[in-house]
Amino acid sequence: MENIVYFNKSLKDIDPKVRQRLGIRGGRAVDLAMMGLPIAPGFIIDSLLTQKLPHVNLKEILGTHIAQLEKDTKKKYGDIEKPLMLKVVLSSDLNVPHFPSIHNIGMNAQTVEAFGNYTGIGFAYGEYLFLMRNLATKIFEVDEKEVKKIEEKLAKKKTLEEVKTAIEAYKKLFGDKFSEDVYDQLGLILKGASSRYCDSPIDVDNSMSIMVQVMVYGNWGKNSYAGNYYTRNIVTGDPEIQGEFVQGEFDIMANKARDISKIEKKHYDHFTEIARKVEDNFKEIREIKFTIEESDFWLVEQKEVDEKSTQSQIKALLDLTRRKIVTDTYTIAKIKPNQLNELLHPVIDPRTVKAIKSIKGGIAGSTGAAIGRVFFSTPKLLEEHKRAIMKGGDPKLILVMPASFAEDVKAIEVAQGVITCEGGFSSHAPVVARSLGKVAMVQPDMKIRGNSFTLAGKTVREGDYVSINVPYYEAPTIFMGKVGLIEPDWKRNGLFEFLDIVEKHIDKFNVRANADQGRDALVARDFKAKGIGLCRTEHMFFNEKRIMKFREMIIAESEDERRRVLKSLLPMQRSDFYELFKIMADSPVTIRLLDAPLHEFLPRTDESMAIFIRYMQAKDRRLKAQEIIARCEELGEMNPMLGHRGCRVAVTYPEIYEMQCRAIFEAACMLRKEGHKIKPEIMIPIVMSKEEIKFIKNGKKIEGKEVKGIRDIKNEVVEDFGIEDLEYKVGTMIELPAAALAAGEIAQYAEFFSFGTNDLTQTTYGLSRDDSNSFFPSYSLFDLMKSNLFKHLGDEVKELIGIAAVRGRLSRPDIKMGLCGEHGANPDNIQFCMDAGLNYVSCSPYAIPLAKLGIAQINIKSSEKEGAE
């Protein structure tokens, strides 16, 4: 009958149309059968016939297929010597962890005794009761009160007589729905299953089918086994099978299970052989359930492994790729870009978290896992870090603050992670953490009071351990204690090998790095970044050896005083740029001149102010503390992000950009003399008109005052170094709507554009990335905002970028354009950038693999589409 598919290891082929009518669970069984593997045999009633079962005479149909089952298993259905037991499993196209099933069909007063001769009489009657209980709850929809009446008469350690009494009670309850005739018993169950589950929530699009399969038992004698295993290690991806087994037991029990490697070698080798065949067939890791009945080896089922790590998935795919079972494009398509976060950062060891209280929730800022003692201010954390290193203590610390600011960068840099209760994905702490490869999260429910925080009724004090887990696929978790970590190893976890494959499918559009320090550049180089797209020079001044000098320069009363301090900072900046240029070799390095508002560098806490006052008074004892404080307060602004920052600082204090440009050119000339072809790219931030970039690029003389342009500074440095000339480019960051609309005029002076989408998003929508989280949840609740605009480019921002790209290219056809910011690692945004004619995206070093994978997937889809046309 074409509506019933019999399966065993001899099944060779099946009509694809029929295969579609077997549901997920049925499909898994026939897949094993068609591979020639020893699947426990059975038959599947397809979805068409399942709908009609209540009106079909089943006895003759069942007889034919059960006869074949008896032949395959050397048991007889309903036999009083060696009885065959069956199970019924419902199978639809709905992917659920466990499909409804009824086990031990074929039990009656005679067969239970015979069954007990093999498994033990107590077990046999226990299984008989299990059958009756499932029939009551899963098939016949018996009133819960009636079931409870029967079950409550059973003691915790029930006697055999109590079990027998319960079985009889169920039979009486069922009446003519249950039959001692095993064929009628099966027929009634099949009809009951069809009546109850067809058109139920698990019957997706009338796809419900029913599988009848033989039952096999790991306690069918002393030399019987039961267990399950994965086709490889699901954490590390190592090719050895991973699983457990029991001997002489029906199923796995936690206190008796043994590691699969301890089973007899002949069985282990057999399992390994099957694992390779299964992986090659399904092209992924699978879980296999098995039973050995004396000498008879059976596979019960196989299924997908949802809990596998990205590392194990990638290593399986790489193995398949090396052996040419799958293609490069298949492997690339199977990994979602965000999954790579698992390979880039530490992850929590699940074996260590059971006894530790955890609170889930909040906003993921920078993915990974971290453990450390909490400290609530930058000075205290830095002090404790120094003390721990000097005295052999634990230097692993977590910074906890309402929000972080520029002066907290140095604390984030030495901490393992940072937790804030204000802001969101694009606020200061997450952005800095992503650039440094640190872990960050925002927990709005956390209440900070002095040197402690409270969350979900639990208080954590300064010095206490917490652990944070920030995955890409779900909300972050804070563990109130110390858990274990699994550290990443890029050479062993498959990341580098996978990126080598990805790189084959990267064409003209590529990825640069946001990198401010040498270590960032080294990571970027490891991930094959095509240069640095954004070096934020303001981050270079937060080093404890520089911050005091920089603050001294900021509060200086005259240009001469500023130039004196800047002269001492120049060698430090030159050293920074030299290191970045040398690491990136001949790749482009885009250096953004100072962008942050000057007041951001000034002390924000009483502690840091006290330290700065001592520093200044050591320079000049005549200075009074109140004078220093007053000067700092004078520089404060009401709305600093739209105030005195970026190129506006260059207009009021041109000597700052002069020092930075001189440091850039001197570093480039030094490397030119060493034989390197360095072509610096200097980026001017927060430009709103062509006049600003023209002024900074070319300089100006007015009313007896001369401001040197970048061109003039380059000429001086080249002459000083005795070099013929030095190639360089001057460009701008498009981060204001005015700049986007004036892009045609700005491109007359800018040789490249870099779209700063964090600020462009803020200025387009009037949103603060640090404060928007206070109302974003309500906007999401009422569907007023379809996505987080600091993760996904908004349509209006896209339109501004598109306008700027077109107008910029009309003025300068060869202009290079990129997008810098965390938007650049999102594949949805990458597709837009490519369509808009940009040349690259630039993102934090640890986001480069994600962006590259996104580009490769887009390129592959595009090629496939072109091929199809």
Side-chain angles (χ1 to χ4, degrees):
M1 189 174 187
E2 67 175 10
N3 295 110
I4 299 181
V5 176
Y6 186 90
F7 62 87
N8 62 12
K9 66 179 181 180
S10 299
L11 182 66
K12 298 299 182 186
D13 198 12
I14 187 170
D15 187 320
K17 292 181 180 178
V18 175
R19 172 71 172 72
Q20 290 178 353
R21 301 198 297 266
L22 304 183
I24 291 174
R25 184 69 175 78
R28 291 173 183 168
V30 298
D31 286 341
L32 280 177
M34 288 192 293
M35 292 173 63
L37 296 176
I39 177 75
F43 57 91
I44 306 165
I45 303 168
D46 78 358
S47 57
L48 295 178
L49 183 56
T50 295
Q51 305 285 331
K52 304 172 184 176
L53 282 185
H55 314 292
V56 174
N57 185 346
L58 286 173
K59 204 154 192 175
E60 184 178 338
I61 298 172
L62 295 177
T64 302
H65 292 293
I66 289 174
Q68 184 61 47
L69 293 177
E70 291 173 337
K71 183 179 178 182
D72 285 345
T73 60
K74 302 180 181 63
K75 297 178 183 179
K76 286 191 175 294
Y77 189 53
D79 191 36
I80 59 172
E81 291 187 5
K82 195 176 183 182
L84 173 67
M85 298 297 167
L86 303 175
K87 64 181 174 183
V88 163
V89 182
L90 300 175
S91 175
S92 78
D93 289 340
L94 180 66
N95 196 356
V96 293
H98 301 286
F99 291 95
S101 60
I102 305 295
H103 290 201
N104 308 305
I105 300 168
M107 287 284 191
N108 61 25
Q110 290 75 42
T111 57
V112 68
E113 294 286 337
F115 182 70
N117 292 334
Y118 293 91
T119 63
I121 201 68
F123 175 82
Y125 274 96
E127 291 299 286
Y128 197 174
L129 178 59
F130 184 63
L131 165 67
M132 307 307 278
R133 189 180 290 137
N134 280 323
L135 288 177
T137 57
K138 295 180 180 179
I139 302 295
F140 300 144
E141 297 185 84
V142 173
D143 191 298
E144 288 182 15
K145 293 178 182 178
E146 296 296 327
V147 173
K148 189 175 180 180
K149 282 181 186 178
I150 297 172
E151 294 292 331
E152 67 187 6
K153 293 178 182 178
L154 294 167
K156 283 187 177 180
K157 293 184 178 180
K158 43 191 174 287
T159 66
L160 184 59
E161 290 306 314
E162 287 174 337
V163 173
K164 289 180 178 181
T165 300
I167 291 170
E168 292 305 315
Y170 274 117
K171 286 181 182 179
K172 185 177 179 181
L173 190 62
F174 296 156
D176 59 6
K177 292 180 181 178
F178 182 81
S179 175
E180 290 280 304
D181 181 297
V182 294
Y183 284 89
D184 287 342
Q185 184 186 118
L186 177 60
L188 287 166
I189 291 171
L190 291 172
K191 289 175 183 285
S194 173
S195 297
R196 179 167 183 182
Y197 290 102
C198 285
D199 295 325
S200 74
I202 67 169
D203 184 11
V204 178
D205 299 327
N206 294 323
S207 63
M208 180 67 68
S209 65
I210 298 178
M211 180 172 72
V212 179
Q213 188 178 24
V214 302
M215 291 283 294
V216 287
Y217 299 87
N219 58 344
W220 195 268
K222 291 182 179 178
N223 291 320
S224 296
Y225 304 83
N228 52 48
Y229 67 94
Y230 303 107
T231 54
R232 68 175 58 226
N233 189 293
I234 63 169
V235 176
T236 66
D238 293 339
E240 290 77 22
I241 60 173
Q242 174 192 359
E244 52 189 8
F245 74 99
V246 288
Q247 183 174 5
E249 300 287 346
F250 171 58
D251 210 342
I252 297 256
M253 289 179 287
N255 60 332
K256 293 185 177 181
R258 299 167 63 195
D259 191 275
I260 197 73
S261 62
K262 305 297 182 184
I263 204 167
E264 289 181 60
K265 187 177 184 301
K266 64 178 181 180
H267 295 317
Y268 184 86
D269 291 344
H270 194 186
F271 294 151
T272 299
E273 180 186 356
I274 289 170
R276 297 288 77 78
K277 289 181 179 178
V278 168
E279 267 195 11
D280 287 358
N281 181 78
F282 294 105
K283 302 178 179 62
E284 66 176 6
I285 301 170
R286 290 274 165 147
E287 182 181 6
I288 299 170
K289 186 175 182 180
F290 69 88
T291 296
I292 301 172
E293 277 190 350
E294 292 297 330
S295 59
D296 294 327
F297 185 99
W298 301 109
L299 299 182
V300 179
E301 65 169 315
Q302 58 80 21
K303 61 182 180 180
E304 300 91 344
V305 182
D306 293 332
E307 64 269 31
K308 63 182 176 292
S309 69
T310 297
Q311 177 173 326
S312 66
Q313 184 183 3
I314 281 184
K315 290 184 81 170
L317 287 167
L318 291 172
D319 182 39
L320 292 166
T321 306
R322 283 192 295 269
R323 295 187 292 111
K324 301 190 183 303
I325 304 296
V326 300
T327 62
D328 287 358
T329 56
Y330 179 92
T331 294
I332 290 170
K334 281 294 177 182
I335 302 296
K336 296 176 181 177
N338 275 335
Q339 281 184 259
L340 296 181
N341 279 309
E342 268 190 48
L343 304 187
L344 290 160
H345 306 286
V347 294
I348 296 287
D349 186 341
R351 298 168 296 183
T352 65
V353 302
K354 291 180 181 178
I356 299 177
K357 179 178 175 61
S358 62
I359 296 103
K360 191 172 185 177
I363 301 164
S366 179
T367 52
I371 300 165
R373 293 174 291 141
V374 300
F375 285 86
F376 294 87
S377 72
T378 287
K380 284 189 177 180
L381 185 139
L382 293 175
E383 181 184 344
E384 178 58 25
H385 186 261
K386 185 177 180 180
R387 189 196 67 78
I389 290 174
M390 292 179 66
K391 297 189 176 181
D394 185 355
K396 294 179 179 177
L397 310 173
I398 303 286
L399 181 64
V400 178
M401 307 183 80
S404 70
F405 298 92
E407 71 173 359
D408 301 310
V409 170
K410 51 188 179 291
I412 299 173
E413 188 176 351
V414 302
Q416 301 297 301
V418 55
I419 310 171
T420 58
C421 55
E422 298 173 6
F425 176 79
S426 294
S427 56
H428 185 266
V431 169
V432 173
R434 288 194 292 272
S435 73
L436 296 172
K438 303 292 182 175
V439 185
M441 64 175 286
V442 181
Q443 175 47 274
D445 297 331
M446 178 176 67
K447 306 299 180 187
I448 300 175
R449 294 182 180 87
N451 291 334
S452 67
F453 76 78
T454 303
L455 180 63
K458 178 77 173 177
T459 298
V460 174
R461 293 177 175 80
E462 194 158 78
D464 290 348
Y465 274 99
V466 299
S467 305
I468 55 177
N469 187 36
V470 187
Y472 75 90
Y473 48 83
E474 60 184 23
T477 301
I478 298 179
F479 294 89
M480 301 303 190
K482 193 175 182 180
V483 303
L485 289 184
I486 299 173
E487 296 289 342
D489 184 336
W490 302 333
K491 292 181 179 178
R492 296 185 60 189
N493 66 15
L495 179 61
F496 282 160
E497 187 178 351
F498 180 70
L499 289 178
D500 285 340
I501 294 173
V502 168
E503 199 67 28
K504 297 176 187 177
H505 298 272
I506 303 289
D507 196 11
K508 294 178 181 179
F509 190 93
N510 218 307
V511 185
R512 295 191 190 183
N514 297 346
D516 315 321
Q517 301 179 45
R519 67 181 181 202
D520 302 332
L522 289 170
V523 172
R525 190 178 67 184
D526 282 344
F527 293 146
K528 297 181 171 61
K530 294 302 179 184
I532 292 175
L534 174 62
C535 168
R536 293 158 290 202
T537 54
E538 57 269 17
H539 288 181
M540 295 172 168
F541 295 113
F542 288 110
N543 181 291
E544 60 182 335
K545 294 180 180 177
R546 306 181 187 185
I547 187 63
M548 293 302 176
K549 285 182 179 293
F550 200 73
R551 287 171 175 169
E552 180 185 356
M553 183 275 296
I554 292 171
I555 69 167
E557 298 281 2
S558 68
E559 180 180 337
D560 288 342
E561 285 183 53
R562 281 191 295 276
R563 286 188 177 278
R564 177 183 57 79
V565 182
L566 287 167
K567 187 175 181 181
S568 66
L569 286 169
L570 186 147
M572 301 175 188
Q573 280 269 271
R574 182 176 61 218
S575 174
D576 293 332
F577 300 142
Y578 177 91
E579 184 180 22
L580 292 177
F581 289 148
K582 191 160 188 176
I583 290 170
M584 300 312 295
D586 297 334
S587 297
V589 176
T590 304
I591 297 171
R592 183 179 73 186
L593 301 179
L594 188 69
D595 182 34
L598 290 180
H599 91 283
E600 278 206 5
F601 295 91
L602 297 175
R604 300 186 67 88
T605 66
D606 292 341
E607 291 172 283
S608 57
M609 180 60 79
I611 295 169
F612 181 49
I613 289 170
R614 287 197 296 272
Y615 169 84
M616 290 300 297
Q617 288 178 336
K619 294 274 185 179
D620 185 349
R621 292 182 180 180
R622 295 170 297 175
L623 282 173
K624 295 179 180 179
Q626 200 53 47
E627 291 175 346
I628 298 169
I629 294 171
R631 179 61 179 146
C632 291
E633 289 176 348
E634 283 174 22
L635 292 167
E637 295 182 84
M638 295 297 291
N639 192 354
M641 296 313 291
L642 296 178
H644 194 193
R645 59 173 287 206
C647 68
R648 298 158 192 173
V649 172
V651 175
T652 53
Y653 304 131
E655 56 272 16
I656 296 177
Y657 274 21
E658 181 183 333
M659 180 277 288
Q660 289 193 293
C661 290
R662 188 173 297 278
I664 291 169
F665 291 131
E666 287 183 1
C669 287
M670 289 166 66
L671 284 162
R672 174 65 71 85
K673 284 197 164 186
E674 294 175 18
H676 299 282
K677 294 181 180 179
I678 304 300
K679 298 177 183 177
E681 296 184 353
I682 300 173
M683 182 157 65
I684 302 169
I686 213 76
V687 163
M688 59 183 175
S689 69
K690 69 175 183 180
E691 283 77 19
E692 290 167 319
I693 190 170
K694 179 183 177 182
F695 171 79
I696 295 168
K697 185 177 181 180
N698 298 338
K700 199 161 190 176
K701 293 181 181 179
I702 188 168
E703 295 180 2
K705 183 174 177 62
E706 177 183 1
V707 174
K708 291 180 182 177
I710 295 174
R711 176 185 57 195
D712 303 319
I713 300 165
K714 185 269 299 184
N715 290 337
E716 289 179 3
V717 172
V718 165
E719 185 177 349
D720 290 343
F721 275 80
I723 290 175
E724 187 174 328
D725 202 359
L726 180 71
E727 289 185 53
Y728 71 101
K729 288 183 179 180
V730 175
T732 187
M733 183 172 277
I734 303 291
E735 49 196 326
L736 298 173
L741 296 174
E745 292 183 337
I746 291 173
Q748 295 171 19
Y749 299 95
E751 296 162 279
F752 65 87
F753 286 166
S754 181
F755 293 95
T757 50
N758 281 340
D759 274 342
L760 188 56
T761 296
Q762 291 192 107
T763 55
T764 297
Y765 298 105
L767 291 174
S768 165
R769 68 185 185 186
D770 296 309
D771 302 312
S772 56
N773 190 55
S774 62
F775 57 86
F776 267 12
S778 297
Y779 270 58
S780 298
L781 177 65
F782 295 113
D783 293 326
L784 302 181
M785 187 179 293
K786 61 184 178 181
S787 60
N788 185 334
L789 295 169
F790 293 105
K791 286 187 179 181
H792 304 272
L793 289 172
D795 291 340
E796 295 79 6
V797 171
K798 287 180 179 178
E799 185 174 0
L800 286 170
I801 293 172
I803 290 169
V806 170
R807 293 181 181 179
R809 195 163 277 121
L810 284 172
S811 292
R812 189 183 292 271
D814 63 346
I815 193 169
K816 297 294 182 190
M817 293 183 285
L819 183 149
C820 65
E822 295 312 300
H823 284 105
N826 186 320
D828 295 337
N829 299 330
I830 290 171
Q831 179 70 70
F832 162 75
C833 292
M834 296 172 79
D835 294 341
L838 273 60
N839 305 100
Y840 65 88
V841 290
S842 187
C843 53
S844 67
Y846 292 91
I848 291 168
L850 284 66
K852 280 186 172 281
L853 177 56
I855 293 168
Q857 290 176 340
I858 291 168
N859 287 340
I860 289 168
K861 284 181 182 178
S862 178
S863 297
E864 289 174 349
K865 187 177 179 181
E866 289 175 7
E869 293 173 354

